[in-house]
Amino acid sequence: EAGVAQSPRYKIIEKRQSVAFWCNPISGHATLYWYQQILGQGPKLLIQFQNNGVVDDSQLPKDRFSAERLKGVDSTLKIQPAKLEDSAVYLCASSYRDRDRAFFGQGTRLTVV
Amino acid sequence: KQEVTQIPAALSVPEGENLVLNCSFTDSAIYNLQWFRQDPGKGLTSLLLIQSSQREQTSGRLNASLDKSSGRSTLYIAASQPGDSATYLCAATNTGNQFYFGTGTSLTVIP
């Protein structure tokens, strides 16, 4: 079974630039999550999709972050403009349905300089 | 809001030793609790998931227990190996869907 795919693996940008991350969940998984993990901390949920609808985006900084999940499959997370404090690993995860066992991708490590 | 705490933050043990990792949560109205492993530079791997109606789950050398009334879960690793070295995270899921993660325990197993 193919896992959750994320790209790119690493990204370095200057502050105020924009960046986009891509995630392809496990086939058939209806629920997709984006998490932000700052060094030394546990992952924090940014947004959760159920198919192509948003279930929870209460912790997404909507003035600079946006996410979409077209056709209920792939998803993209965008940051515009980036700030220094956005430096973190961005993890995508999927599950067959919400609250099921979650499978994570390898993450995208973002460095904002 | 659910708060999840993991103690200790770091643990170092000699190979072959049995060990216990602790996870505490403040809101006992959880739907389930998952234990994950994270290797450096990698994503998270789900190890065990315990439903709120269950007391424990086992997978190989791993055993996870759940005590909702006391707000605690433990991950027991038997006969530890150097390959077990990683960061272990627990995550509690409330009825509101979201996983609440602890900050993890960094485990080093010394050969």
Side-chain angles (χ1 to χ4, degrees), chain A residues 9 33 35 37 42-43 45 48 55-56 59 91 98-102 104-106, chain B residues 31-32 34 36 38 41-44 46-47 49 93 95 97-99 101-102:
Chain A
R9 287 294 313 279
Y33 310 85
Y35 282 86
Q37 186 176 24
L45 180 70
Q48 177 184 344
V55 173
D56 186 344
Q59 298 187 91
L91 296 163
D98 65 306
R99 294 175 290 188
D100 268 0
R101 189 168 182 170
F104 281 75
Q106 292 199 318
Chain B
Y31 185 81
N32 62 39
Q34 295 192 57
F36 294 87
Q38 186 171 32
K42 300 285 182 65
L44 280 68
S46 178
L47 299 173
L49 181 151
T93 307
T95 53
N97 301 322
Q98 182 180 157
F99 299 122
F101 280 88

PDB file of all heavy atoms in Angstrom, chain A residues 9 33 35 37 42-43 45 48 55-56 59 91 98-102 104-106, chain B residues 31-32 34 36 38 41-44 46-47 49 93 95 97-99 101-102:
ATOM      1  N   ARG A   9      10.421  17.975  -0.047  1.00  0.00           N
ATOM      2  CA  ARG A   9      10.901  17.525   1.260  1.00  0.00           C
ATOM      3  C   ARG A   9      11.499  18.695   2.044  1.00  0.00           C
ATOM      4  O   ARG A   9      11.379  18.751   3.267  1.00  0.00           O
ATOM      5  CB  ARG A   9      11.972  16.442   1.107  1.00  0.00           C
ATOM      6  CG  ARG A   9      11.471  15.096   0.661  1.00  0.00           C
ATOM      7  CD  ARG A   9      10.548  14.434   1.713  1.00  0.00           C
ATOM      8  NE  ARG A   9      11.075  14.479   3.069  1.00  0.00           N
ATOM      9  CZ  ARG A   9      11.978  13.648   3.547  1.00  0.00           C
ATOM     10  NH1 ARG A   9      12.505  12.702   2.785  1.00  0.00           N
ATOM     11  NH2 ARG A   9      12.399  13.756   4.812  1.00  0.00           N
ATOM     12  N   TYR A  33      -5.358  15.667   6.920  1.00  0.00           N
ATOM     13  CA  TYR A  33      -4.941  16.653   7.914  1.00  0.00           C
ATOM     14  C   TYR A  33      -3.639  17.319   7.459  1.00  0.00           C
ATOM     15  O   TYR A  33      -2.771  16.682   6.887  1.00  0.00           O
ATOM     16  CB  TYR A  33      -4.638  15.980   9.256  1.00  0.00           C
ATOM     17  CG  TYR A  33      -5.670  15.033   9.803  1.00  0.00           C
ATOM     18  CD1 TYR A  33      -5.697  13.701   9.399  1.00  0.00           C
ATOM     19  CD2 TYR A  33      -6.585  15.442  10.772  1.00  0.00           C
ATOM     20  CE1 TYR A  33      -6.609  12.801   9.916  1.00  0.00           C
ATOM     21  CE2 TYR A  33      -7.511  14.538  11.309  1.00  0.00           C
ATOM     22  CZ  TYR A  33      -7.510  13.229  10.874  1.00  0.00           C
ATOM     23  OH  TYR A  33      -8.428  12.342  11.400  1.00  0.00           O
ATOM     24  N   TYR A  35      -0.622  19.330   9.544  1.00  0.00           N
ATOM     25  CA  TYR A  35      -0.104  19.679  10.851  1.00  0.00           C
ATOM     26  C   TYR A  35       1.173  20.516  10.692  1.00  0.00           C
ATOM     27  O   TYR A  35       1.932  20.349   9.738  1.00  0.00           O
ATOM     28  CB  TYR A  35       0.259  18.426  11.660  1.00  0.00           C
ATOM     29  CG  TYR A  35      -0.907  17.716  12.282  1.00  0.00           C
ATOM     30  CD1 TYR A  35      -1.638  16.772  11.564  1.00  0.00           C
ATOM     31  CD2 TYR A  35      -1.280  17.985  13.590  1.00  0.00           C
ATOM     32  CE1 TYR A  35      -2.710  16.127  12.143  1.00  0.00           C
ATOM     33  CE2 TYR A  35      -2.353  17.330  14.177  1.00  0.00           C
ATOM     34  CZ  TYR A  35      -3.061  16.403  13.448  1.00  0.00           C
ATOM     35  OH  TYR A  35      -4.126  15.768  14.024  1.00  0.00           O
ATOM     36  N   GLN A  37       4.669  21.255  12.801  1.00  0.00           N
ATOM     37  CA  GLN A  37       5.478  20.805  13.925  1.00  0.00           C
ATOM     38  C   GLN A  37       6.724  21.678  14.039  1.00  0.00           C
ATOM     39  O   GLN A  37       7.638  21.600  13.209  1.00  0.00           O
ATOM     40  CB  GLN A  37       5.874  19.338  13.788  1.00  0.00           C
ATOM     41  CG  GLN A  37       6.594  18.797  15.025  1.00  0.00           C
ATOM     42  CD  GLN A  37       6.900  17.319  14.941  1.00  0.00           C
ATOM     43  OE1 GLN A  37       7.001  16.742  13.859  1.00  0.00           O
ATOM     44  NE2 GLN A  37       7.040  16.668  16.093  1.00  0.00           N
ATOM     45  N   GLY A  42       5.140  19.045  19.817  1.00  0.00           N
ATOM     46  CA  GLY A  42       4.292  18.090  19.137  1.00  0.00           C
ATOM     47  C   GLY A  42       3.584  18.760  17.968  1.00  0.00           C
ATOM     48  O   GLY A  42       3.489  19.988  17.908  1.00  0.00           O
ATOM     49  N   PRO A  43       3.109  17.980  17.020  1.00  0.00           N
ATOM     50  CA  PRO A  43       2.393  18.550  15.877  1.00  0.00           C
ATOM     51  C   PRO A  43       1.130  19.289  16.312  1.00  0.00           C
ATOM     52  O   PRO A  43       0.452  18.876  17.256  1.00  0.00           O
ATOM     53  CB  PRO A  43       2.046  17.324  15.028  1.00  0.00           C
ATOM     54  CG  PRO A  43       3.018  16.273  15.435  1.00  0.00           C
ATOM     55  CD  PRO A  43       3.259  16.516  16.889  1.00  0.00           C
ATOM     56  N   LEU A  45      -2.506  20.817  14.790  1.00  0.00           N
ATOM     57  CA  LEU A  45      -3.399  20.756  13.635  1.00  0.00           C
ATOM     58  C   LEU A  45      -3.611  22.142  13.033  1.00  0.00           C
ATOM     59  O   LEU A  45      -3.920  23.103  13.732  1.00  0.00           O
ATOM     60  CB  LEU A  45      -4.751  20.182  14.046  1.00  0.00           C
ATOM     61  CG  LEU A  45      -5.782  20.075  12.914  1.00  0.00           C
ATOM     62  CD1 LEU A  45      -5.384  18.977  11.923  1.00  0.00           C
ATOM     63  CD2 LEU A  45      -7.179  19.792  13.474  1.00  0.00           C
ATOM     64  N   GLN A  48      -8.260  20.306   8.842  1.00  0.00           N
ATOM     65  CA  GLN A  48      -8.720  18.940   8.602  1.00  0.00           C
ATOM     66  C   GLN A  48      -9.815  18.977   7.550  1.00  0.00           C
ATOM     67  O   GLN A  48     -10.753  19.776   7.631  1.00  0.00           O
ATOM     68  CB  GLN A  48      -9.270  18.322   9.892  1.00  0.00           C
ATOM     69  CG  GLN A  48      -9.832  16.924   9.717  1.00  0.00           C
ATOM     70  CD  GLN A  48     -10.447  16.370  10.979  1.00  0.00           C
ATOM     71  OE1 GLN A  48     -10.210  16.878  12.069  1.00  0.00           O
ATOM     72  NE2 GLN A  48     -11.240  15.315  10.844  1.00  0.00           N
ATOM     73  N   VAL A  55     -13.388  20.455   7.869  1.00  0.00           N
ATOM     74  CA  VAL A  55     -13.999  20.063   9.138  1.00  0.00           C
ATOM     75  C   VAL A  55     -13.550  20.989  10.264  1.00  0.00           C
ATOM     76  O   VAL A  55     -14.354  21.387  11.103  1.00  0.00           O
ATOM     77  CB  VAL A  55     -13.635  18.604   9.487  1.00  0.00           C
ATOM     78  CG1 VAL A  55     -14.132  18.241  10.891  1.00  0.00           C
ATOM     79  CG2 VAL A  55     -14.184  17.643   8.450  1.00  0.00           C
ATOM     80  N   ASP A  56     -12.262  21.321  10.267  1.00  0.00           N
ATOM     81  CA  ASP A  56     -11.705  22.141  11.348  1.00  0.00           C
ATOM     82  C   ASP A  56     -10.545  22.946  10.795  1.00  0.00           C
ATOM     83  O   ASP A  56      -9.583  22.377  10.302  1.00  0.00           O
ATOM     84  CB  ASP A  56     -11.248  21.239  12.498  1.00  0.00           C
ATOM     85  CG  ASP A  56     -10.784  22.012  13.732  1.00  0.00           C
ATOM     86  OD1 ASP A  56     -10.516  23.233  13.628  1.00  0.00           O
ATOM     87  OD2 ASP A  56     -10.691  21.401  14.807  1.00  0.00           O
ATOM     88  N   GLN A  59      -7.294  26.605  13.903  1.00  0.00           N
ATOM     89  CA  GLN A  59      -5.934  27.020  14.233  1.00  0.00           C
ATOM     90  C   GLN A  59      -5.128  27.417  12.996  1.00  0.00           C
ATOM     91  O   GLN A  59      -3.908  27.580  13.085  1.00  0.00           O
ATOM     92  CB  GLN A  59      -5.225  25.905  15.010  1.00  0.00           C
ATOM     93  CG  GLN A  59      -5.896  25.594  16.342  1.00  0.00           C
ATOM     94  CD  GLN A  59      -5.100  24.607  17.171  1.00  0.00           C
ATOM     95  OE1 GLN A  59      -4.264  24.986  17.975  1.00  0.00           O
ATOM     96  NE2 GLN A  59      -5.372  23.328  16.977  1.00  0.00           N
ATOM     97  N   LEU A  91       3.416  18.590   8.140  1.00  0.00           N
ATOM     98  CA  LEU A  91       3.082  17.182   7.995  1.00  0.00           C
ATOM     99  C   LEU A  91       1.672  17.028   7.448  1.00  0.00           C
ATOM    100  O   LEU A  91       0.745  17.688   7.910  1.00  0.00           O
ATOM    101  CB  LEU A  91       3.159  16.470   9.358  1.00  0.00           C
ATOM    102  CG  LEU A  91       4.531  16.403  10.017  1.00  0.00           C
ATOM    103  CD1 LEU A  91       4.399  16.064  11.483  1.00  0.00           C
ATOM    104  CD2 LEU A  91       5.399  15.374   9.316  1.00  0.00           C
ATOM    105  N   ASP A  98     -12.594  10.044   9.869  1.00  0.00           N
ATOM    106  CA  ASP A  98     -12.071  10.853  10.966  1.00  0.00           C
ATOM    107  C   ASP A  98     -11.952  10.017  12.239  1.00  0.00           C
ATOM    108  O   ASP A  98     -12.754   9.136  12.501  1.00  0.00           O
ATOM    109  CB  ASP A  98     -12.949  12.094  11.196  1.00  0.00           C
ATOM    110  CG  ASP A  98     -14.331  11.716  11.665  1.00  0.00           C
ATOM    111  OD1 ASP A  98     -14.980  10.914  10.985  1.00  0.00           O
ATOM    112  OD2 ASP A  98     -14.760  12.234  12.713  1.00  0.00           O
ATOM    113  N   ARG A  99     -10.912  10.290  12.975  1.00  0.00           N
ATOM    114  CA  ARG A  99     -10.569   9.662  14.257  1.00  0.00           C
ATOM    115  C   ARG A  99     -10.063   8.232  14.110  1.00  0.00           C
ATOM    116  O   ARG A  99      -9.798   7.554  15.079  1.00  0.00           O
ATOM    117  CB  ARG A  99     -11.743   9.703  15.235  1.00  0.00           C
ATOM    118  CG  ARG A  99     -12.098  11.119  15.654  1.00  0.00           C
ATOM    119  CD  ARG A  99     -13.325  11.169  16.528  1.00  0.00           C
ATOM    120  NE  ARG A  99     -14.541  10.852  15.799  1.00  0.00           N
ATOM    121  CZ  ARG A  99     -15.758  10.973  16.316  1.00  0.00           C
ATOM    122  NH1 ARG A  99     -15.908  11.383  17.554  1.00  0.00           N
ATOM    123  NH2 ARG A  99     -16.813  10.664  15.613  1.00  0.00           N
ATOM    124  N   ASP A 100      -9.917   7.764  12.874  1.00  0.00           N
ATOM    125  CA  ASP A 100      -9.280   6.472  12.643  1.00  0.00           C
ATOM    126  C   ASP A 100      -7.770   6.602  12.773  1.00  0.00           C
ATOM    127  O   ASP A 100      -7.227   7.695  12.897  1.00  0.00           O
ATOM    128  CB  ASP A 100      -9.608   5.971  11.234  1.00  0.00           C
ATOM    129  CG  ASP A 100     -10.846   5.102  11.194  1.00  0.00           C
ATOM    130  OD1 ASP A 100     -11.455   4.884  12.257  1.00  0.00           O
ATOM    131  OD2 ASP A 100     -11.193   4.652  10.095  1.00  0.00           O
ATOM    132  N   ARG A 101      -7.106   5.450  12.706  1.00  0.00           N
ATOM    133  CA  ARG A 101      -5.648   5.437  12.706  1.00  0.00           C
ATOM    134  C   ARG A 101      -5.133   6.331  11.589  1.00  0.00           C
ATOM    135  O   ARG A 101      -5.579   6.227  10.446  1.00  0.00           O
ATOM    136  CB  ARG A 101      -5.169   4.010  12.510  1.00  0.00           C
ATOM    137  CG  ARG A 101      -3.694   3.815  12.690  1.00  0.00           C
ATOM    138  CD  ARG A 101      -3.390   2.342  12.753  1.00  0.00           C
ATOM    139  NE  ARG A 101      -1.978   2.100  12.975  1.00  0.00           N
ATOM    140  CZ  ARG A 101      -1.468   0.906  13.255  1.00  0.00           C
ATOM    141  NH1 ARG A 101      -2.263  -0.139  13.359  1.00  0.00           N
ATOM    142  NH2 ARG A 101      -0.178   0.763  13.435  1.00  0.00           N
ATOM    143  N   ALA A 102      -4.211   7.227  11.929  1.00  0.00           N
ATOM    144  CA  ALA A 102      -3.711   8.209  10.971  1.00  0.00           C
ATOM    145  C   ALA A 102      -2.362   7.784  10.414  1.00  0.00           C
ATOM    146  O   ALA A 102      -1.503   7.275  11.136  1.00  0.00           O
ATOM    147  CB  ALA A 102      -3.576   9.574  11.643  1.00  0.00           C
ATOM    148  N   PHE A 104       0.954   9.240   8.337  1.00  0.00           N
ATOM    149  CA  PHE A 104       1.618  10.502   8.062  1.00  0.00           C
ATOM    150  C   PHE A 104       2.605  10.383   6.909  1.00  0.00           C
ATOM    151  O   PHE A 104       3.240   9.337   6.717  1.00  0.00           O
ATOM    152  CB  PHE A 104       2.383  10.981   9.303  1.00  0.00           C
ATOM    153  CG  PHE A 104       1.523  11.622  10.343  1.00  0.00           C
ATOM    154  CD1 PHE A 104       0.708  10.862  11.162  1.00  0.00           C
ATOM    155  CD2 PHE A 104       1.523  13.005  10.498  1.00  0.00           C
ATOM    156  CE1 PHE A 104      -0.099  11.463  12.124  1.00  0.00           C
ATOM    157  CE2 PHE A 104       0.732  13.613  11.459  1.00  0.00           C
ATOM    158  CZ  PHE A 104      -0.080  12.844  12.269  1.00  0.00           C
ATOM    159  N   GLY A 105       2.742  11.482   6.180  1.00  0.00           N
ATOM    160  CA  GLY A 105       3.813  11.596   5.210  1.00  0.00           C
ATOM    161  C   GLY A 105       5.113  11.977   5.901  1.00  0.00           C
ATOM    162  O   GLY A 105       5.143  12.178   7.118  1.00  0.00           O
ATOM    163  N   GLN A 106       6.191  12.087   5.122  1.00  0.00           N
ATOM    164  CA  GLN A 106       7.504  12.386   5.699  1.00  0.00           C
ATOM    165  C   GLN A 106       7.666  13.857   6.043  1.00  0.00           C
ATOM    166  O   GLN A 106       8.598  14.221   6.743  1.00  0.00           O
ATOM    167  CB  GLN A 106       8.616  11.944   4.745  1.00  0.00           C
ATOM    168  CG  GLN A 106       8.696  10.433   4.601  1.00  0.00           C
ATOM    169  CD  GLN A 106      10.030   9.989   4.066  1.00  0.00           C
ATOM    170  OE1 GLN A 106      10.574  10.606   3.150  1.00  0.00           O
ATOM    171  NE2 GLN A 106      10.583   8.925   4.622  1.00  0.00           N
TER     172      GLN A 106
ATOM    173  N   TYR B  31     -12.049  10.070  22.496  1.00  0.00           N
ATOM    174  CA  TYR B  31     -12.601   9.075  21.592  1.00  0.00           C
ATOM    175  C   TYR B  31     -11.625   7.916  21.444  1.00  0.00           C
ATOM    176  O   TYR B  31     -12.007   6.755  21.427  1.00  0.00           O
ATOM    177  CB  TYR B  31     -12.899   9.720  20.242  1.00  0.00           C
ATOM    178  CG  TYR B  31     -13.579   8.818  19.257  1.00  0.00           C
ATOM    179  CD1 TYR B  31     -14.951   8.612  19.308  1.00  0.00           C
ATOM    180  CD2 TYR B  31     -12.844   8.177  18.261  1.00  0.00           C
ATOM    181  CE1 TYR B  31     -15.576   7.779  18.397  1.00  0.00           C
ATOM    182  CE2 TYR B  31     -13.461   7.344  17.344  1.00  0.00           C
ATOM    183  CZ  TYR B  31     -14.832   7.157  17.418  1.00  0.00           C
ATOM    184  OH  TYR B  31     -15.449   6.331  16.529  1.00  0.00           O
ATOM    185  N   ASN B  32     -10.347   8.253  21.280  1.00  0.00           N
ATOM    186  CA  ASN B  32      -9.300   7.250  21.258  1.00  0.00           C
ATOM    187  C   ASN B  32      -7.966   7.895  21.575  1.00  0.00           C
ATOM    188  O   ASN B  32      -7.875   9.122  21.713  1.00  0.00           O
ATOM    189  CB  ASN B  32      -9.241   6.490  19.924  1.00  0.00           C
ATOM    190  CG  ASN B  32      -8.931   7.385  18.732  1.00  0.00           C
ATOM    191  OD1 ASN B  32      -8.127   8.296  18.816  1.00  0.00           O
ATOM    192  ND2 ASN B  32      -9.564   7.098  17.609  1.00  0.00           N
ATOM    193  N   GLN B  34      -3.730   7.491  20.412  1.00  0.00           N
ATOM    194  CA  GLN B  34      -2.761   6.832  19.544  1.00  0.00           C
ATOM    195  C   GLN B  34      -1.349   7.095  20.038  1.00  0.00           C
ATOM    196  O   GLN B  34      -1.047   8.175  20.532  1.00  0.00           O
ATOM    197  CB  GLN B  34      -2.870   7.353  18.105  1.00  0.00           C
ATOM    198  CG  GLN B  34      -4.176   7.026  17.423  1.00  0.00           C
ATOM    199  CD  GLN B  34      -4.140   7.306  15.935  1.00  0.00           C
ATOM    200  OE1 GLN B  34      -3.306   6.784  15.198  1.00  0.00           O
ATOM    201  NE2 GLN B  34      -5.071   8.134  15.482  1.00  0.00           N
ATOM    202  N   PHE B  36       2.553   7.181  18.544  1.00  0.00           N
ATOM    203  CA  PHE B  36       3.296   7.297  17.301  1.00  0.00           C
ATOM    204  C   PHE B  36       4.793   7.240  17.596  1.00  0.00           C
ATOM    205  O   PHE B  36       5.248   7.593  18.684  1.00  0.00           O
ATOM    206  CB  PHE B  36       3.016   8.643  16.605  1.00  0.00           C
ATOM    207  CG  PHE B  36       1.611   8.820  16.116  1.00  0.00           C
ATOM    208  CD1 PHE B  36       0.633   9.324  16.953  1.00  0.00           C
ATOM    209  CD2 PHE B  36       1.277   8.515  14.811  1.00  0.00           C
ATOM    210  CE1 PHE B  36      -0.666   9.517  16.501  1.00  0.00           C
ATOM    211  CE2 PHE B  36      -0.013   8.702  14.339  1.00  0.00           C
ATOM    212  CZ  PHE B  36      -0.985   9.199  15.189  1.00  0.00           C
ATOM    213  N   GLN B  38       8.434   8.729  15.880  1.00  0.00           N
ATOM    214  CA  GLN B  38       8.989   9.667  14.911  1.00  0.00           C
ATOM    215  C   GLN B  38      10.497   9.536  14.903  1.00  0.00           C
ATOM    216  O   GLN B  38      11.161   9.768  15.909  1.00  0.00           O
ATOM    217  CB  GLN B  38       8.580  11.111  15.219  1.00  0.00           C
ATOM    218  CG  GLN B  38       9.012  12.097  14.144  1.00  0.00           C
ATOM    219  CD  GLN B  38       8.419  13.473  14.334  1.00  0.00           C
ATOM    220  OE1 GLN B  38       8.194  13.918  15.456  1.00  0.00           O
ATOM    221  NE2 GLN B  38       8.145  14.169  13.239  1.00  0.00           N
ATOM    222  N   GLY B  41      13.945  13.535  11.099  1.00  0.00           N
ATOM    223  CA  GLY B  41      13.727  13.907   9.707  1.00  0.00           C
ATOM    224  C   GLY B  41      12.621  13.136   9.012  1.00  0.00           C
ATOM    225  O   GLY B  41      12.455  13.254   7.803  1.00  0.00           O
ATOM    226  N   LYS B  42      11.875  12.379   9.770  1.00  0.00           N
ATOM    227  CA  LYS B  42      10.820  11.566   9.163  1.00  0.00           C
ATOM    228  C   LYS B  42       9.446  11.972   9.704  1.00  0.00           C
ATOM    229  O   LYS B  42       9.337  12.715  10.677  1.00  0.00           O
ATOM    230  CB  LYS B  42      11.056  10.085   9.496  1.00  0.00           C
ATOM    231  CG  LYS B  42      12.387   9.535   8.990  1.00  0.00           C
ATOM    232  CD  LYS B  42      12.381   9.299   7.526  1.00  0.00           C
ATOM    233  CE  LYS B  42      13.687   8.717   7.015  1.00  0.00           C
ATOM    234  NZ  LYS B  42      13.917   7.362   7.556  1.00  0.00           N
ATOM    235  N   GLY B  43       8.430  11.447   9.069  1.00  0.00           N
ATOM    236  CA  GLY B  43       7.075  11.663   9.554  1.00  0.00           C
ATOM    237  C   GLY B  43       6.770  10.761  10.737  1.00  0.00           C
ATOM    238  O   GLY B  43       7.665  10.130  11.294  1.00  0.00           O
ATOM    239  N   LEU B  44       5.527  10.691  11.107  1.00  0.00           N
ATOM    240  CA  LEU B  44       5.107   9.882  12.240  1.00  0.00           C
ATOM    241  C   LEU B  44       4.576   8.539  11.764  1.00  0.00           C
ATOM    242  O   LEU B  44       3.872   8.473  10.757  1.00  0.00           O
ATOM    243  CB  LEU B  44       3.998  10.597  13.021  1.00  0.00           C
ATOM    244  CG  LEU B  44       4.400  11.698  13.984  1.00  0.00           C
ATOM    245  CD1 LEU B  44       4.941  12.916  13.251  1.00  0.00           C
ATOM    246  CD2 LEU B  44       3.209  12.103  14.844  1.00  0.00           C
ATOM    247  N   SER B  46       2.226   5.428  13.031  1.00  0.00           N
ATOM    248  CA  SER B  46       1.277   5.011  14.051  1.00  0.00           C
ATOM    249  C   SER B  46       1.655   3.629  14.572  1.00  0.00           C
ATOM    250  O   SER B  46       1.854   2.697  13.790  1.00  0.00           O
ATOM    251  CB  SER B  46      -0.138   4.972  13.470  1.00  0.00           C
ATOM    252  OG  SER B  46      -1.066   4.531  14.440  1.00  0.00           O
ATOM    253  N   LEU B  47       1.775   3.506  15.888  1.00  0.00           N
ATOM    254  CA  LEU B  47       2.152   2.244  16.509  1.00  0.00           C
ATOM    255  C   LEU B  47       0.932   1.485  17.021  1.00  0.00           C
ATOM    256  O   LEU B  47       0.752   0.306  16.735  1.00  0.00           O
ATOM    257  CB  LEU B  47       3.119   2.494  17.672  1.00  0.00           C
ATOM    258  CG  LEU B  47       4.450   3.158  17.319  1.00  0.00           C
ATOM    259  CD1 LEU B  47       5.217   3.501  18.578  1.00  0.00           C
ATOM    260  CD2 LEU B  47       5.276   2.238  16.423  1.00  0.00           C
ATOM    261  N   LEU B  49      -3.356   2.112  18.439  1.00  0.00           N
ATOM    262  CA  LEU B  49      -4.524   2.963  18.663  1.00  0.00           C
ATOM    263  C   LEU B  49      -5.415   2.260  19.671  1.00  0.00           C
ATOM    264  O   LEU B  49      -5.762   1.082  19.474  1.00  0.00           O
ATOM    265  CB  LEU B  49      -5.271   3.217  17.355  1.00  0.00           C
ATOM    266  CG  LEU B  49      -6.517   4.129  17.428  1.00  0.00           C
ATOM    267  CD1 LEU B  49      -6.717   4.843  16.100  1.00  0.00           C
ATOM    268  CD2 LEU B  49      -7.767   3.334  17.766  1.00  0.00           C
ATOM    269  N   THR B  93      -7.606  11.906  20.911  1.00  0.00           N
ATOM    270  CA  THR B  93      -8.641  12.408  20.013  1.00  0.00           C
ATOM    271  C   THR B  93      -9.925  12.579  20.801  1.00  0.00           C
ATOM    272  O   THR B  93     -10.423  11.625  21.380  1.00  0.00           O
ATOM    273  CB  THR B  93      -8.885  11.435  18.849  1.00  0.00           C
ATOM    274  OG1 THR B  93      -7.652  11.150  18.218  1.00  0.00           O
ATOM    275  CG2 THR B  93      -9.845  12.032  17.840  1.00  0.00           C
ATOM    276  N   THR B  95     -14.034  13.941  20.940  1.00  0.00           N
ATOM    277  CA  THR B  95     -15.187  13.745  20.060  1.00  0.00           C
ATOM    278  C   THR B  95     -15.203  14.772  18.946  1.00  0.00           C
ATOM    279  O   THR B  95     -15.877  14.604  17.948  1.00  0.00           O
ATOM    280  CB  THR B  95     -16.493  13.817  20.852  1.00  0.00           C
ATOM    281  OG1 THR B  95     -16.507  15.033  21.595  1.00  0.00           O
ATOM    282  CG2 THR B  95     -16.606  12.647  21.810  1.00  0.00           C
ATOM    283  N   ASN B  97     -12.945  15.401  16.856  1.00  0.00           N
ATOM    284  CA  ASN B  97     -12.101  14.942  15.737  1.00  0.00           C
ATOM    285  C   ASN B  97     -10.605  15.212  15.859  1.00  0.00           C
ATOM    286  O   ASN B  97      -9.809  14.439  15.384  1.00  0.00           O
ATOM    287  CB  ASN B  97     -12.554  15.523  14.385  1.00  0.00           C
ATOM    288  CG  ASN B  97     -13.970  15.167  14.054  1.00  0.00           C
ATOM    289  OD1 ASN B  97     -14.402  14.061  14.339  1.00  0.00           O
ATOM    290  ND2 ASN B  97     -14.698  16.099  13.494  1.00  0.00           N
ATOM    291  N   GLN B  98     -10.223  16.328  16.447  1.00  0.00           N
ATOM    292  CA  GLN B  98      -8.817  16.719  16.373  1.00  0.00           C
ATOM    293  C   GLN B  98      -7.929  15.844  17.254  1.00  0.00           C
ATOM    294  O   GLN B  98      -8.312  15.485  18.369  1.00  0.00           O
ATOM    295  CB  GLN B  98      -8.676  18.179  16.808  1.00  0.00           C
ATOM    296  CG  GLN B  98      -7.264  18.696  16.716  1.00  0.00           C
ATOM    297  CD  GLN B  98      -7.134  20.153  17.145  1.00  0.00           C
ATOM    298  OE1 GLN B  98      -6.070  20.590  17.523  1.00  0.00           O
ATOM    299  NE2 GLN B  98      -8.197  20.909  17.092  1.00  0.00           N
ATOM    300  N   PHE B  99      -6.717  15.511  16.740  1.00  0.00           N
ATOM    301  CA  PHE B  99      -5.690  14.858  17.553  1.00  0.00           C
ATOM    302  C   PHE B  99      -4.963  15.933  18.349  1.00  0.00           C
ATOM    303  O   PHE B  99      -4.512  16.918  17.783  1.00  0.00           O
ATOM    304  CB  PHE B  99      -4.637  14.157  16.677  1.00  0.00           C
ATOM    305  CG  PHE B  99      -5.167  13.069  15.789  1.00  0.00           C
ATOM    306  CD1 PHE B  99      -4.995  13.138  14.424  1.00  0.00           C
ATOM    307  CD2 PHE B  99      -5.805  11.963  16.313  1.00  0.00           C
ATOM    308  CE1 PHE B  99      -5.468  12.131  13.590  1.00  0.00           C
ATOM    309  CE2 PHE B  99      -6.288  10.961  15.485  1.00  0.00           C
ATOM    310  CZ  PHE B  99      -6.118  11.048  14.121  1.00  0.00           C
ATOM    311  N   PHE B 101      -1.615  16.392  20.399  1.00  0.00           N
ATOM    312  CA  PHE B 101      -0.343  15.703  20.601  1.00  0.00           C
ATOM    313  C   PHE B 101       0.378  16.192  21.850  1.00  0.00           C
ATOM    314  O   PHE B 101       0.302  17.380  22.208  1.00  0.00           O
ATOM    315  CB  PHE B 101       0.588  15.944  19.404  1.00  0.00           C
ATOM    316  CG  PHE B 101       0.300  15.085  18.215  1.00  0.00           C
ATOM    317  CD1 PHE B 101      -0.619  15.487  17.264  1.00  0.00           C
ATOM    318  CD2 PHE B 101       0.955  13.878  18.043  1.00  0.00           C
ATOM    319  CE1 PHE B 101      -0.879  14.693  16.148  1.00  0.00           C
ATOM    320  CE2 PHE B 101       0.708  13.081  16.932  1.00  0.00           C
ATOM    321  CZ  PHE B 101      -0.217  13.498  15.989  1.00  0.00           C
ATOM    322  N   GLY B 102       1.122  15.279  22.476  1.00  0.00           N
ATOM    323  CA  GLY B 102       2.087  15.663  23.486  1.00  0.00           C
ATOM    324  C   GLY B 102       3.367  16.109  22.790  1.00  0.00           C
ATOM    325  O   GLY B 102       3.468  16.076  21.566  1.00  0.00           O
TER     326      GLY B 102
END
